[in-house]
Amino acid sequence: MAGGAIVNTAGGKEYPGKLTLFVLLTCIVAATGGLIFGYDIGISGGVTSMDSFLKKFFPDVYRKEKEDQNTNQYCKFDSQILTTFTSSLYLAALIASFFASLVTRAFGRKWSMFGGGITFLVGAALNGAAQNVLMLILGRILLGIGVGFANQSVPVYLSEMAPARLRGMLNIGFQLMITIGILCANLINYGTAKIKGGWGWRVSLALAAVPAAIITVGSLFLPDTPNSLIDRGYDTAAKDMLRRIRGTDDIAEEYNDLVAASEDSKQIKNPWGNILRPKYRAQLTMAILIPFFQQLTGINVIMFYAPVLFRTIGFGGDASLMSAVITGLVNVFATFVSIFTVDKLGRRKLFLQGGSQMLVCQIVVGTLIAIKFGTDGVANLSKTYSAFVVLFICIYVAGFAWSWGPLGWLVPSEIFPLEIRSAGQSINVSVNMFFTFVIAQAFLAMLCHMKFGLFYFFAGWVVIMTTFIAFFLPETKGVPIEEMILVWKSHWFWGRFISDSDIHVGNLEMANGNNNKNNSNKTVV
Ligand code: BGC
């Protein structure tokens, strides 16, 4: 098929070893880094719609919002100041991820996670105690730096720690924690919005300290990955770590491959200049397009604006928050589907299936809204009709939760060779943050102008991204992370950018089939 890579999709080069309790625990602890990102995604929308918060910090916005008598449901009150405040976090994260890549490479992945956790913690304290807009914005920037560091280091850490055949499952722990963070935030907002004294927003913002404390303390107990230890010259420690995480003494083959990868890595002093070389063209393209496409699925329209959206289609204030909780639950549970299938079905099947499911739902939701709201945006929906809309939104969220959600973090973290892995991951994070920012900023204006067509707009992007995956993303399941170059080399399109001399000897031996088991497993996908 056009995805075309000759890879051993039945498990690649399989190193000896098993899934140890130690590696499982370290991956669970590291994955909690996703909680801080998720918590923030879920908390901001709710807080910025609380009257007491607006009155204290953005009185002008509050006044204008109350004066807004517009009955057109497509054109809700849109304050650029308020959305800029929310989005400042994503801009801070974007910049921070570049610094994180330096820390991650020079000092190891765990210190980036620790740095992320502690900065987020300070940001949460500042926000919870905020007396003025300055404190609020400073806090927000610190939260952003925290997210930038965590999102840069956690996915890479998980992909390096995991045995190749379970890498998908363990890496998706990160996305699972993101979804749990979002759900907890939705529930907390639901509760704090009811606090009468007008300080509910403080509780919502300050509780961000809980997930921050979990990853800060947790990271102190985490060992560093063997890949990073070797790269930083700690060969004996790396060997011990490999024995421990694989639960066997038979680690020579994997160790040698890691050493070979590290030797390549040491040739490269400046990953930023190197990443532009033709042999990394495939990975660079993925690091840019995968996060871009992930955001163009339109998922954050639901995550940030679910309460607005549900109110638009006729739910009252409370009910709309409840519906947000329902999508939050669907998001968490559907993520398990990918956890249990990603290493069996592979990444491509999930991408293609999830994409098709999202496409159908976007067309259905757009059409349901078009039928009732037309172009003037005035309508009253019956309970059954609204329930249908919510149902299709939930099916859409489920499709995202087992495809572009987790794979948007997994795939970029597993495709880079060691020498440009940190740099590549920070490109992934920054593109993701940039488009999260753009969508958050533009959504209300887009809805006002494009009306129900907004759903068709995102549907169009889903067609493009699904086609892209079908043709350009080779299957990466089960392939050891330091052997990934072979997958690209044998791809119908990307292969032309990689010459034989770009592949080190260990890889070549595998490619030539010195290992009989591998040889017999080679298939064209
Ligand atoms: C995305 C976020 C999104 C979340 C929803 C993540 O993978 O990066 O932008 O809000 O999934 O679960």
Side-chain angles (χ1 to χ4, degrees):
M1 197 185 138
I6 302 174
V7 276
N8 175 356
T9 52
K13 186 177 198 173
E14 269 213 35
Y15 301 120
K18 51 181 192 270
L19 176 66
T20 56
L21 182 64
F22 181 69
V23 91
L24 187 66
L25 289 179
T26 52
C27 285
I28 293 175
V29 172
T32 58
L35 286 175
I36 57 177
F37 181 40
Y39 189 83
D40 196 83
I41 293 170
I43 214 77
S44 316
V47 167
T48 50
S49 61
M50 289 181 195
D51 285 354
S52 52
F53 176 84
L54 289 179
K55 270 194 229 159
K56 183 164 174 67
F57 296 108
F58 301 95
D60 279 357
V61 174
Y62 176 74
R63 196 169 30 79
K64 286 197 190 123
E65 198 172 62
K66 291 290 166 224
E67 282 165 5
D68 185 34
Q69 299 290 326
N70 196 349
T71 53
N72 180 345
Q73 297 292 339
Y74 292 130
C75 298
K76 291 288 177 192
F77 176 72
D78 182 5
S79 159
Q80 288 292 312
I81 298 187
L82 204 57
T83 42
T84 310
F85 158 74
T86 310
S87 319
S88 58
L89 180 143
Y90 299 101
L91 292 182
L94 186 166
I95 296 165
S97 72
F98 290 103
F99 291 98
S101 85
L102 303 178
V103 176
T104 305
R105 192 169 188 216
F107 302 104
R109 286 74 176 123
K110 85 178 246 178
W111 292 112
S112 277
M113 290 185 226
F114 177 77
I118 201 115
T119 325
F120 198 92
L121 196 62
V122 179
L126 215 54
N127 268 351
Q131 296 302 331
N132 49 44
V133 179
L134 184 68
M135 279 176 86
L136 215 51
I137 290 182
L138 267 180
R140 214 78 209 123
I141 291 174
L142 292 177
L143 296 183
I145 297 175
V147 168
F149 270 75
N151 287 16
Q152 199 279 338
S153 49
V154 173
V156 167
Y157 181 91
L158 295 170
S159 284
E160 288 183 343
M161 272 300 198
R165 64 178 189 286
L166 297 172
R167 189 174 57 237
M169 177 183 105
L170 292 175
N171 182 292
I172 294 178
F174 177 65
Q175 174 73 12
L176 182 66
M177 294 294 175
I178 295 178
T179 62
I180 293 176
I182 297 175
L183 178 65
C184 292
N186 283 349
L187 290 168
I188 288 169
N189 271 344
Y190 187 65
T192 59
K194 294 191 189 314
I195 295 178
K196 290 277 179 295
W199 42 269
W201 60 269
R202 278 196 196 281
V203 180
S204 290
L205 294 181
L207 279 178
V210 175
I214 296 177
I215 183 63
T216 309
V217 177
S219 67
L220 289 176
F221 292 96
L222 289 178
D224 234 321
T225 68
N227 318 50
S228 170
L229 287 170
I230 295 176
D231 211 26
R232 290 180 292 125
Y234 301 110
D235 292 10
T236 319
K239 255 188 203 152
D240 291 345
M241 185 51 61
L242 208 51
R243 270 191 213 105
R244 194 148 179 221
I245 60 177
R246 302 289 176 251
T248 172
D249 284 338
D250 189 6
I251 48 138
E253 197 183 359
E254 184 168 6
Y255 179 77
N256 290 340
D257 286 346
L258 294 185
V259 170
S262 163
E263 267 152 23
D264 285 350
S265 167
K266 291 210 174 92
Q267 314 281 328
I268 306 243
K269 291 279 167 282
N270 172 14
W272 293 102
N274 268 280
I275 210 164
L276 296 173
R277 288 167 60 186
K279 66 171 175 170
Y280 302 127
R281 196 56 45 85
Q283 294 93 326
L284 182 61
T285 308
M286 297 300 158
I288 296 171
L289 285 186
I290 290 184
F292 167 73
F293 284 147
Q294 190 204 50
Q295 290 306 312
L296 266 288
T297 56
I299 187 67
N300 279 328
V301 164
I302 312 288
M303 294 301 139
F304 295 149
Y305 296 102
V308 180
L309 213 63
F310 286 119
R311 212 170 301 146
T312 306
I313 56 176
F315 288 91
D318 237 24
S320 69
L321 257 174
M322 260 338 272
S323 314
V325 171
I326 294 173
T327 51
L329 277 170
V330 170
N331 198 14
V332 173
F333 284 105
T335 306
F336 281 101
V337 174
S338 61
I339 290 188
F340 293 116
T341 56
V342 71
D343 294 311
K344 297 190 185 81
L345 298 176
R347 287 59 167 152
R348 284 172 51 82
K349 287 210 177 88
L350 287 177
F351 264 129
L352 300 179
Q353 191 285 331
S356 316
Q357 182 167 323
M358 286 192 285
L359 174 65
V360 172
C361 293
Q362 278 160 328
I363 294 174
V364 172
V365 171
T367 310
L368 286 176
I369 293 185
I371 293 171
K372 288 288 176 185
F373 288 91
T375 46
D376 58 8
V378 185
N380 248 331
L381 301 195
S382 71
K383 278 221 154 53
T384 336
Y385 203 90
S386 312
F388 256 101
V389 179
V390 174
L391 175 70
F392 279 95
I393 289 182
C394 286
I395 304 176
Y396 160 83
V397 170
F400 176 87
W402 60 60
S403 62
W404 281 91
L407 301 177
W409 294 104
L410 166 63
V411 173
S413 76
E414 65 182 6
I415 56 174
F416 284 105
L418 187 59
E419 63 270 21
I420 52 161
R421 191 168 300 147
S422 288
Q425 179 65 5
S426 62
I427 294 179
N428 175 40
V429 175
S430 50
V431 174
N432 195 308
M433 295 299 132
F434 180 71
F435 285 99
T436 308
F437 163 79
V438 170
I439 303 257
Q441 206 70 20
F443 165 70
L444 288 175
M446 284 167 90
L447 183 64
C448 187
H449 289 106
M450 298 166 83
K451 308 180 168 54
F452 58 85
L454 184 62
F455 293 91
Y456 300 149
F457 168 80
F458 287 121
W461 278 105
V462 172
V463 173
I464 296 173
M465 65 186 80
T466 309
T467 314
F468 173 81
I469 294 292
F471 285 97
F472 294 103
L473 186 79
E475 184 53 67
T476 50
K477 87 166 181 201
V479 180
I481 190 165
E482 308 303 353
E483 303 291 318
M484 208 54 87
I485 189 158
L486 296 175
V487 173
W488 300 108
K489 174 76 184 140
S490 39
H491 187 268
W492 71 275
F493 180 75
W494 301 116
R496 71 188 71 178
F497 297 101
I498 304 165
S499 65
D500 284 350
S501 60
D502 291 331
I503 299 177
H504 65 71
V505 183
N507 291 140
L508 269 182
E509 279 170 4
M510 180 201 165
N512 294 333
N514 75 327
N515 177 332
N516 287 338
K517 181 167 128 261
N518 290 332
N519 215 20
S520 62
N521 278 338
K522 275 185 187 157
T523 47
V524 177
V525 291

